[in-house]
Amino acid sequence: MTSTTVTETGAPAGQVKLRSAEDGVLNWNVRKTEGLHVIPSFTDKEAERTWAKQHMAAAFRTFARLGWADGASGHISLRDPVNPDWFWINPYAKHFAQMKASDLVLVDHHGRPVQPTPHKVNAAGFIIHSSIHRARPDIHAACHMHSPAGRAWSTFGKGIEMLNQDTCMFYKNLAVYEGFGGIVLAEEEGLRLAGALGKDCWNLILQNHGLLTCGSTVDEAAAYFIALERACENQILAESAAANGIPKKFVGKEEAEYTCKCTSTPGCVYMQFQPEYDLTVELSNGKVLE
């Protein structure tokens, strides 16, 4: 005869019975996540503009800290909360590690500065981001960098495989822009890039070029970029092992879809960037917010 020991929670020994989120400090309630993943909302659009610009500047410094500053290449755009027909973009040839909120440039969809600024804007960056913002009103921010792993994996013109839990956030949420039309200095090329995203995709691999990620907040776009760059690095490592005869095991479609639904909500992805934001602000002694 076997006996079962029951714990104080009423669960058999060796099993764990989780308390609800309301009953403790657990950060996950499978039935309700709204209280955990909260994106700030604003009634004052000027206050929202200030907040969003600070997070955008912090994204640049975070990318620099992660080693993705590459000369004058790379850009982030942010749809202006006050006037959604305008968007913020980084000044040309300003090092990401020195970026402050006050450095960002506000332009209209013709590339004209809306506010006085001593800075110039990267023409290719403007065309890419202007095309995306016009094509997708739901996209409020976009990040495009020539990061090492993304740039390397883009040479294959392929998406990434569902190799682990982290890559599952890109399940049916990643497109590939095949072909390379050179530096994006023509509006037609910008429109083709925007078209490659389609109506509901948030992330894009640009063949022979790099990565582009989008979001409803700049935090979401930045978190997607960090995750996609690491997914590309992971893919390259896995391909190297597979080339030596080690077979890959893939996450199943059902499991990948479920994991994506859990990890790629706007609030969840937004929260993924908050530790990086807090660290960036601390390391800059608050200068990034100026």
Side-chain angles (χ1 to χ4, degrees):
M1 179 182 293
T2 60
S3 61
T4 301
T5 302
V6 178
T7 67
E8 293 182 1
T9 64
Q15 297 183 16
V16 177
K17 182 177 180 180
L18 298 181
R19 297 180 181 274
S20 71
E22 290 79 7
D23 192 33
V25 295
L26 296 178
N27 70 349
W28 180 257
N29 181 329
V30 294
R31 295 177 179 82
K32 182 180 179 182
T33 60
E34 291 86 350
L36 175 64
H37 303 145
V38 178
I39 301 174
S41 59
F42 296 82
T43 56
D44 183 343
K45 289 300 180 181
E46 290 288 350
E48 183 178 358
R49 172 189 275 179
T50 298
W51 172 83
K53 287 176 61 184
Q54 290 173 339
H55 282 243
M56 180 177 172
F60 281 111
R61 292 204 182 207
T62 298
F63 288 174
R65 175 162 47 82
L66 295 174
W68 304 337
D70 193 8
S73 299
H75 15 83
I76 300 175
S77 65
L78 168 70
R79 191 184 296 276
D80 183 51
V82 176
N83 186 334
D85 291 330
W86 302 336
F87 64 91
W88 297 88
I89 195 166
N90 49 302
Y92 183 61
K94 175 81 174 182
H95 199 286
F96 294 173
Q98 297 177 308
M99 201 71 68
K100 302 189 298 293
S102 57
D103 293 321
L104 303 173
V105 181
L106 181 61
V107 296
D108 63 19
H109 279 291
H110 299 287
R112 296 176 299 217
V114 175
Q115 300 175 342
T117 176
H119 301 296
K120 301 294 184 181
V121 169
N122 183 300
F126 165 77
I127 291 172
I128 291 173
H129 291 271
S130 177
S131 299
I132 290 170
H133 286 298
R134 281 187 292 177
R136 290 278 299 274
D138 57 325
I139 290 177
H140 290 178
C143 302
H144 170 58
M145 303 287 148
H146 298 171
S147 50
R151 186 163 45 188
W153 183 248
S154 75
T155 61
F156 296 96
K158 296 171 56 178
I160 57 172
E161 296 170 326
M162 298 298 102
L163 298 175
N164 51 59
Q165 175 177 298
D166 297 315
T167 58
C168 287
M169 71 189 303
F170 298 105
Y171 181 74
K172 293 185 177 181
N173 191 22
L174 176 66
V176 177
Y177 177 62
E178 298 180 353
F180 175 65
I183 296 176
V184 184
L185 295 178
E187 185 177 3
E188 292 78 10
E189 182 73 356
L191 293 174
R192 284 192 287 269
L193 286 174
L197 274 173
K199 296 182 179 180
D200 54 11
C201 186
W202 293 91
N203 305 287
L204 185 66
I205 293 177
L206 286 64
Q207 183 180 309
N208 305 111
H209 192 164
L211 309 178
L212 187 145
T213 62
C214 306
S216 57
T217 61
V218 71
D219 306 71
E220 183 182 359
Y224 267 134
F225 194 95
I226 294 171
L228 185 54
E229 167 67 7
R230 289 173 174 165
C232 289
E233 182 179 11
N234 180 81
Q235 183 79 48
I236 293 169
L237 291 172
E239 295 293 338
S240 298
N244 287 301
I246 305 175
K248 290 181 286 188
K249 301 290 186 180
F250 300 101
V251 177
K253 292 182 178 179
E254 183 178 347
E255 292 81 5
E257 182 176 13
Y258 170 76
T259 305
C260 182
K261 288 180 179 179
C262 293
T263 60
S264 64
T265 64
C268 184
V269 183
Y270 167 87
M271 289 302 299
Q272 282 293 104
F273 184 67
Q274 298 321 295
E276 299 290 355
Y277 172 81
D278 291 339
L279 177 59
T280 295
V281 172
E282 181 175 322
L283 290 175
S284 75
N285 293 318
K287 290 188 67 67
V288 67
L289 307 178
E290 295 176 359

